[in-house]
Amino acid sequence: MSARGGVVYLVGAGPGDPGLLTARALELIESADVILHDRLIPAGALDAARSDAELVDVGKRPGAAARAQREIEELMVERARAGRSVVRLKGGDPFVFGRGGEEAEALAAAEVPFEVVPGVTAGVAAPAYAGIPVTHRDDASAVAFVTGHEDPEKPGSALDWEALAAFPGTLVMYMGVRRLGEIADRLVAAGRDPEQPATVVERGTMSGQRTVSAPLGEIASAADAAGLRPPAIAVIGPVAARGAALSWLERRPLHGRRVVVTRARAQASGLARTLASLGAEVIELPAIRIAPRIDSDGVRRAVDDVHSYALVCLTSPNGVRLLFEAMAAAGRDARALANATVAAIGPGTARALREHGVIADVVPERSVAEALVEALADIEVEGRPVLVARAAEARDVLPDALRERGAELDVVALYETIAERPGKDEIDAARGADYLTFTSSSTVRNFVAAVGDSLPPDARVVSIGPVTSAAAREAGLAVHVEAERHDIEGLLDALLADVASAVSER
Ligand code: SAH
């Protein structure tokens, strides 16, 4: 802790999409001693904070009183004077309707050094994510950012409605949704054209973003009919009409769908990222965790002899990762497999092998043990040493078949899948899901055991393949979609096809 006293950083967190946090914001979040944050900050914005950082939510909560502005300012000053580095993290840009100006003044008055880190403001970002350029060569040479939070009936309201009505450019209203009717009425009464295009963007840049467009005179009733809720921003002016052609976020195939990912956290990120890039709101509810077992005697023996196997079979990307980890620990690399035929159960496992410098010799079309047994029919195994490296709880289809053919078989468990206990918040978040995805029987069983009676009522169940589907049915779930290819890409294809067919039925 510095004797000189700490610095306060007034940091903009952007409008909601975590990707719109600036590099400087992330850097400061990572190093801060204290983070005083608003309620409306991007999901996961605090994940990078130090585990010993003091995190204080100073935002307004529905039902609970907000911390008084004075209290927040005192807290910043007090922590900084104690020599701590303080991040004051605010939605959007700190100096755009965020009271950041007042906070900077309080710091200046207290002679606490500060830095301001601009953020992407909602007034630019929400329209952009709705395909609306706030200025346009043909339509608008000026843009006004206006706060509509003030009560327009308030005597001495700061807004000059005549001037706003006459403003030669786009009006962007930061406002409470309930104010929209009054705002539109005031503008029209002051002379703004009621036919002028207007768009309200709800939850701009976030996965649940929605937009409603109508002429200014009808925008309030249209927003009302759509049940728009905060946070929302209104764009008024000819540019608002351009969203119809330029909207991009809401056109993504999974936009607005909530998809639960039940894979182990370590593996889920690839699937979660792809789903998110297709527009889905991803709820990670890992039902299992991978517990490595590469220190067991069996694994050690197999790794010591790994160069002598004629055939090495791998049945999951996790298995590949852990086999190579165990080999590395024993000072070996891919060359130890130089003389072996290497078999992968499917393309995902083959890809993991490739990442370790090994091209699989055998990869069946369908990623199930039965198909691998078939694909191995031409490989000579009788009397030869064969390694099957896999999960502890795997089925015995492959070992049984190889043993029957006279292989000298070693079966080793590289890892075990252990049930994960999701928290109540995660289970609640999953209640509103549109899709539940299952990539293995163990995820199904553990998911059902973990959520108990709280199964999402309307969710469609997507399974990676027949074995997983059977486990789902056994656990009492209806399976709506089963992937044709039993890997992650196959599962995504099946989910997309289901969404598309549901949309075309409407
Ligand atoms: N400093 C913030 C604005 C704070 S005022 C910024 O620069 O963006 C809060 C208002 O901003 C909300 O009432 C709403 O009108 C608007 N707003 C903030 N985030 C939004 C979002 N993701 N989508 C739409 N409007 C948003």
Side-chain angles (χ1 to χ4, degrees):
M1 243 159 263
S2 127
R4 288 173 288 121
V7 177
V8 175
Y9 301 90
L10 296 173
V11 180
D17 178 346
L20 295 180
L21 273 161
T22 63
R24 181 68 177 144
L26 279 174
E27 184 179 272
L28 290 167
I29 289 168
E30 277 165 20
S31 62
D33 296 317
V34 181
I35 301 180
L36 310 175
H37 63 90
D38 284 357
R39 192 172 51 87
L40 258 187
I41 54 169
L46 300 176
D47 289 356
R50 280 178 12 216
S51 57
D52 62 340
E54 181 191 3
L55 307 181
V56 188
D57 178 354
V58 296
K60 279 186 220 159
R61 269 177 197 293
R67 244 174 228 255
Q69 186 64 26
R70 262 240 338 269
E71 228 182 292
I72 299 175
E73 289 163 10
E74 282 167 8
L75 198 57
M76 286 190 313
V77 169
E78 193 261 312
R79 292 294 191 274
R81 284 195 174 141
R84 312 180 70 188
S85 85
V86 180
V87 163
R88 170 73 179 104
L89 192 63
K90 303 166 77 70
D93 179 274
F95 276 9
V96 178
F97 308 132
R99 307 192 72 168
E102 288 159 65
E103 291 173 14
E105 277 155 11
L107 294 167
E111 294 181 10
V112 169
F114 63 91
E115 176 179 320
V116 182
V117 180
V120 180
T121 188
V124 172
Y129 274 51
I132 300 173
V134 289
T135 70
H136 190 283
R137 220 175 131 81
D138 298 332
D139 285 347
S141 309
V143 52
F145 296 123
V146 184
T147 172
H149 278 292
E150 289 187 39
D151 182 352
E153 304 296 336
K154 179 172 92 182
S157 156
L159 293 181
D160 177 341
W161 294 101
E162 315 259 294
L164 288 176
F167 180 73
T170 308
L171 298 177
V172 175
M173 311 288 311
Y174 293 64
M175 41 136 235
V177 173
R178 274 171 306 154
R179 287 266 117 84
L180 183 60
E182 295 160 57
I183 290 168
D185 288 351
R186 289 265 173 168
L187 286 171
V188 171
R192 194 109 180 162
D193 179 2
E195 293 304 318
Q196 186 160 78
T199 294
V200 184
V201 186
E202 175 195 79
R203 292 173 59 81
T205 79
M206 300 183 229
S207 49
Q209 174 179 307
R210 286 200 296 162
T211 54
V212 172
S213 297
L216 178 59
E218 293 155 36
I219 189 67
S221 53
D224 202 36
L228 281 199
R229 310 227 320 243
I233 217 151
V235 186
I236 300 161
V239 290
R242 296 193 178 262
L246 300 183
S247 150
W248 54 274
L249 183 80
E250 290 168 52
R251 290 202 187 137
R252 289 186 173 170
L254 298 182
H255 182 77
R257 314 280 164 160
R258 273 183 247 173
V259 182
V260 175
V261 172
T262 56
R263 314 192 84 181
R265 214 177 277 285
Q267 297 173 282
S269 60
L271 176 58
R273 243 196 322 273
T274 310
L275 287 166
S277 70
L278 292 166
E281 180 177 338
V282 180
I283 302 159
E284 288 195 43
L285 206 148
I288 57 166
R289 177 159 60 80
I290 305 295
R293 273 211 199 159
I294 55 179
D295 289 335
S296 72
D297 288 343
V299 172
R300 263 200 216 128
R301 263 197 308 273
V303 166
D304 282 342
D305 292 342
V306 74
H307 53 275
S308 61
Y309 289 107
L311 171 65
V312 173
C313 302
L314 288 148
T315 60
S316 70
N318 277 316
V320 172
R321 179 172 61 81
L322 289 167
L323 177 64
F324 276 87
E325 229 173 79
M327 282 166 55
R332 322 217 141 169
D333 61 22
R335 288 170 299 173
L337 299 175
N339 297 319
T341 297
V342 177
I345 197 164
T349 305
R351 197 173 316 123
L353 277 164
R354 210 152 49 234
E355 282 162 17
H356 288 93
V358 175
I359 312 268
D361 302 294
V362 180
V363 189
E365 293 231 325
R366 294 187 319 128
S367 312
V368 290
E370 286 79 359
L372 183 55
V373 168
E374 259 173 55
L376 287 170
D378 295 337
I379 309 282
E380 187 50 56
V381 295
E382 189 168 354
R384 306 178 87 185
V386 171
L387 175 65
V388 173
R390 59 177 203 168
E393 51 285 289
R395 296 184 304 144
D396 284 325
V397 175
L398 177 62
D400 287 350
L402 290 167
R403 222 174 266 126
E404 211 163 281
R405 291 175 52 198
E408 256 178 55
L409 190 63
D410 288 333
V411 178
V412 299
L414 293 164
Y415 62 93
E416 193 175 352
T417 52
I418 294 182
E420 186 83 277
R421 289 269 151 235
K424 191 180 167 306
D425 287 356
E426 288 168 303
I427 294 176
D428 285 350
R431 290 276 297 170
D434 300 302
Y435 284 96
L436 289 176
T437 60
F438 293 110
T439 51
S440 69
S441 350
S442 54
T443 55
V444 176
R445 281 193 291 270
N446 291 317
F447 176 83
V448 172
V451 305
D453 295 340
S454 305
L455 273 173
D458 302 320
R460 288 172 69 75
V461 170
V462 186
S463 139
I464 198 163
V467 179
T468 303
S469 300
R473 292 194 189 99
E474 214 165 280
L477 293 178
V479 176
H480 303 94
V481 185
E482 184 180 288
E484 272 171 37
R485 268 183 41 214
H486 312 313
D487 55 24
I488 293 300
E489 276 89 80
L491 178 125
L492 282 165
D493 286 347
L495 200 162
L496 284 168
D498 190 67
V499 169
S501 72
V503 169
S504 67
E505 272 163 30
R506 256 185 244 140

